[in-house]
Amino acid sequence: MDTVEETDEGTGGNPMDSMDPEMASHPQPVFKAMREVPVMALEGMGVLLSRKAEIDEALRHPEIFSSNMDAVDLKNKRPMIPLQIDPPEQKKFRKLLDPLFAPRKMVAMEEAVAVLANNLIDQFIERGEVDFAKEFSVPFPSQVFLTLLGLPLDELDRFLTMKDGIIRPDHVTGSKYGSKKATAYQQEIADSVYDYFDMVLDQREIERKDDLLSHFLDAEVEGNKLTRNDILDICFLFLIAGLDTVTATLDCMFSFLAQHPEHRQQVVDDPAIIPSTIEELLRWETPVMGVARVSVADTELNGCPIKKGDHVMIMLGSANTDEDEFPDADVVRFDREVNRHIAFGGGVHRCLGSHLARMELRVALREWHRRIPEYSVLDGHTLIYTPSIRSIEHFPMVFTAKEG
């Protein structure tokens, strides 16, 4: 699910929105330069945190650095649960939701998820070429999400429209983020998310199924059943978290492996390293480069004053390449034994679906390299990453499938 945090990929006032394609493709050098001023006040954009020490401090103190609705505006009607609710209320919902994504439950799903991955690969393996984004990284996590919620796979296009309309209304409308046109479209799509899930929940009220939506209708928090609005606010977050961040992570990981054949060969030769490969590529690539917070009190970090109401952009990607935390931060090592990356965020709002995301990534890397050990980006094509969340819209790949 992912996301990577519960998931706050909102963008209003986000300095990453205006980054050029080169930075989005190779952000690590820019992160390194940022860390020269680890707490930086940007006029009109709040405060930028780039060093792991200060970032850890901010993530550990939600009572000061809040992720409430002022931090991220995705045109949702109420706070997304549990991301935009701070402790102590937030803990009640995490107590309900965390067990649903526990490691053992994710392991139990792995076989079914592998079937989804292989069904997608079956559709293009004989061609020797594929648009990895269109034919794998976008549909794969979306199908897992639909399966979890007990929704038909033929609803995929509807969900992708909703996801893109909320996260990238500028891209869909061809107008600037925050413009009247983009904002109106984003609001229209956000409203449609509530309407859709309201309709499905009406159906589940009549007939329960073995899915999360039915579970939520019968679930209780401290002896009280979830309200309809509670469930809708959870579903709104799940839609964003379940579709976009795992897609971006697959794009980042496979683009790295496609362009670094020596690293790819390590995965092919020894699939046992896939879990550590995932952790290292999460660290190095950090698909969700930053998460937003808002200061709810006057404070300071590293001598820099932060005023109540200031937006605070926490650069996860910079923390993950901080030399103070990783002595060989610029080296990609799949045998890294200690890897305290924060690609899934940190503190009380650490990614609710991190175990699901890791399982999806593990299945994707295992099944893909079992069947397609050799692949590369189409000769002459330059991969273009989107800002903030580093997905790739067009990813032409050529490959040689394994015989037999």
Side-chain angles (χ1 to χ4, degrees), residues 2-223:
D2 124 124
T3 160
V4 168
E5 275 227 339
E6 285 162 0
T7 175
D8 48 358
E9 307 110 323
T11 47
N14 185 341
M16 292 184 290
D17 290 339
S18 58
M19 71 172 58
D20 61 41
E22 178 60 27
M23 179 188 169
S25 298
H26 304 286
Q28 297 86 359
V30 179
F31 293 152
K32 192 168 189 173
M34 282 181 180
R35 290 193 294 274
E36 295 295 321
V37 185
V39 183
M40 183 185 304
L42 301 173
E43 189 172 351
M45 292 188 180
V47 179
L48 198 68
L49 306 184
S50 56
R51 193 168 62 181
K52 192 167 188 298
E54 288 79 17
I55 286 173
D56 283 344
E57 180 74 9
L59 292 174
R60 282 197 300 264
H61 291 283
E63 74 281 5
I64 298 175
F65 301 99
S66 173
S67 63
N68 65 29
M69 290 182 71
D70 290 334
V72 180
D73 179 13
L74 295 178
K75 303 299 177 240
N76 42 308
K77 297 177 182 178
R78 298 171 298 275
M80 293 182 288
I81 294 175
L83 172 63
Q84 293 184 317
I85 298 175
D86 289 318
E89 285 296 308
Q90 180 257 10
K91 292 182 179 179
K92 300 176 184 178
F93 290 102
R94 288 294 297 235
K95 188 175 181 180
L96 165 70
L97 296 169
D98 281 345
L100 300 177
F101 300 97
R104 60 181 178 80
K105 285 187 175 289
M106 298 304 98
V107 170
M109 287 180 58
E110 193 162 319
E111 186 174 339
V113 171
V115 170
L116 293 175
N118 280 295
N119 286 344
L120 289 171
I121 294 171
D122 287 343
Q123 295 174 29
F124 55 76
I125 192 167
E126 293 184 2
R127 295 205 314 258
E129 60 182 19
V130 64
D131 185 327
F132 180 78
K134 182 179 180 181
E135 299 182 69
F136 192 82
S137 69
V138 169
F140 175 56
S142 301
Q143 289 181 357
V144 175
F145 173 79
L146 291 169
T147 301
L148 262 177
L149 293 186
L151 301 170
L153 295 184
D154 59 14
E155 293 276 29
L156 177 61
D157 287 344
R158 180 204 292 258
F159 275 82
L160 294 178
T161 297
M162 290 193 289
K163 179 263 295 183
D164 287 334
I166 292 171
I167 296 176
R168 298 186 182 87
D170 50 336
H171 182 79
V172 176
T173 61
S175 55
K176 187 177 180 181
Y177 193 98
S179 68
K180 187 174 181 180
K181 184 177 181 180
T183 299
Y185 181 76
Q186 186 181 38
Q187 187 67 67
E188 176 188 341
I189 292 295
D191 292 344
S192 76
V193 172
Y194 293 105
D195 292 341
Y196 176 80
F197 281 110
D198 221 8
M199 174 193 70
V200 176
L201 287 167
D202 284 343
Q203 297 171 357
R204 294 296 189 276
E205 289 280 15
I206 297 170
E207 182 181 359
R208 298 288 198 271
K209 292 188 177 182
D210 183 19
D211 59 33
L212 285 184
L213 293 178
S214 297
H215 174 81
F216 290 149
L217 287 170
D218 297 319
E220 295 184 353
V221 173
E222 296 189 343

Side-chain angles (χ1 to χ4, degrees), residues 215-392:
H215 174 81
F216 290 149
L217 287 170
D218 297 319
E220 295 184 353
V221 173
E222 296 189 343
N224 298 311
K225 291 190 70 172
L226 292 175
T227 67
R228 174 63 68 94
N229 282 347
D230 288 339
I231 300 173
L232 292 173
D233 297 338
I234 292 170
C235 289
F236 194 101
L237 177 64
F238 277 18
L239 171 70
I240 308 303
L243 302 190
D244 206 58
T245 52
V246 174
T247 288
T249 305
L250 287 167
D251 288 344
C252 287
M253 290 186 174
F254 275 83
S255 67
F256 178 91
L257 293 168
Q259 296 173 86
H260 295 83
E262 71 285 358
H263 285 84
R264 183 179 73 246
Q265 195 60 44
Q266 292 178 41
V267 177
V268 173
D269 292 343
D270 184 10
I273 69 167
I274 286 176
S276 61
T277 296
I278 289 169
E279 299 308 312
E280 180 67 347
L281 291 178
L282 282 168
R283 180 194 74 82
W284 178 247
E285 295 288 341
T286 311
V288 179
M289 288 189 282
V291 295
R293 296 291 185 265
V294 63
S295 178
V296 294
D298 290 343
T299 186
E300 64 88 24
L301 278 176
N302 196 38
C304 179
I306 299 174
K307 297 179 181 179
K308 181 179 179 179
D310 279 351
H311 279 80
V312 179
M313 179 54 63
I314 295 173
M315 301 301 295
L316 302 177
S318 184
N320 285 342
T321 50
D322 187 343
E323 300 85 350
D324 290 343
E325 174 67 28
F326 304 95
D328 54 353
D330 291 337
V331 179
V332 176
R333 286 179 41 209
F334 293 166
D335 62 349
R336 192 180 295 275
E337 293 183 5
V338 178
N339 195 340
R340 291 188 288 265
H341 70 76
I342 54 170
F344 289 112
V348 298
H349 289 297
R350 188 182 181 281
C351 177
L352 173 65
S354 63
H355 299 304
L356 173 60
R358 283 185 168 107
M359 182 271 287
E360 292 180 75
L361 296 168
R362 186 169 65 245
V363 168
L365 266 69
R366 184 187 70 222
E367 297 305 308
W368 183 283
H369 290 92
R370 179 176 64 83
R371 303 182 67 185
I372 304 175
E374 296 182 22
Y375 54 93
S376 60
V377 181
L378 180 66
D379 193 32
H381 181 81
T382 300
L383 297 176
I384 305 296
Y385 293 73
T386 56
S388 191
I389 305 173
R390 302 176 58 234
S391 61
I392 302 170

